[in-house]
Amino acid sequence: MFQITFLDLFIRTYHKIGIRTLDQNYGFPESHLPGRMVEEIKAIYKVDTWPDFFAKVQFGKVFSKESFTGMLRDAVAKSRDRRYHIPARPSDMNRLRLLRRELERARAEAVARKSRDI
């Protein structure tokens, strides 16, 4: 999202005023660009849904739940077929559940300690 946003802002700015402006500014951006980029980054941090993500990366296709789920399933199948990952065994899943519980307990203890310290 950052790269697309950066390039889009760069192109919109320098398409209008010309790339030679960068040479005239010794490579420094136009004065409004850093502030505008900060605002864009804040907007990126607020993205919390797939539709918002696809809009931010300017992906023109609109997905239904079914087509999006299908795309994700196809991606996982392709990853498996290319051996990018190995499906977890049931024993691994039990180990992961134990680790997850330990992590949740440690987080809860940290929150409790922090609230006591305040």
Side-chain angles (χ1 to χ4, degrees):
M1 285 187 290
F2 174 85
Q3 292 170 335
I4 291 170
T5 299
F6 177 83
L7 288 173
D8 185 54
L9 191 58
F10 182 89
I11 290 167
R12 281 189 284 134
T13 299
Y14 291 104
H15 177 72
K16 292 176 187 173
I17 62 175
I19 197 78
R20 291 180 191 221
T21 308
L22 279 172
D23 289 336
Q24 294 166 353
N25 293 342
Y26 300 100
F28 288 99
E30 292 299 297
S31 61
H32 74 282
L33 281 179
R36 181 76 179 120
M37 199 62 207
V38 167
E39 294 304 314
E40 292 290 340
I41 291 169
K42 288 177 182 178
I44 288 171
Y45 281 130
K46 290 179 182 176
V47 170
D48 62 354
T49 66
W50 285 112
D52 290 347
F53 169 81
F54 286 119
K56 196 72 175 161
V57 297
Q58 301 174 12
F59 193 78
K61 186 174 179 179
V62 177
F63 292 100
S64 67
K65 280 187 176 184
E66 292 78 20
S67 65
F68 184 66
T69 302
M71 181 186 73
L72 291 176
R73 289 179 192 278
D74 290 345
V76 170
K78 189 180 291 185
S79 175
R80 182 197 61 232
D81 295 345
R82 292 179 179 173
R83 297 187 177 170
Y84 291 149
H85 74 277
I86 300 169
R89 297 181 304 251
S91 61
D92 293 336
M93 294 305 293
N94 289 333
R95 199 168 330 133
L96 285 173
R97 283 187 198 99
L98 289 172
L99 288 171
R100 195 172 291 136
R101 279 189 214 131
E102 288 177 25
L103 180 60
E104 288 169 1
R105 185 174 41 246
R107 285 181 179 158
E109 289 172 1
V111 167
R113 274 194 308 273
K114 191 174 185 178
S115 66
R116 282 192 306 254
D117 294 342
I118 294 177

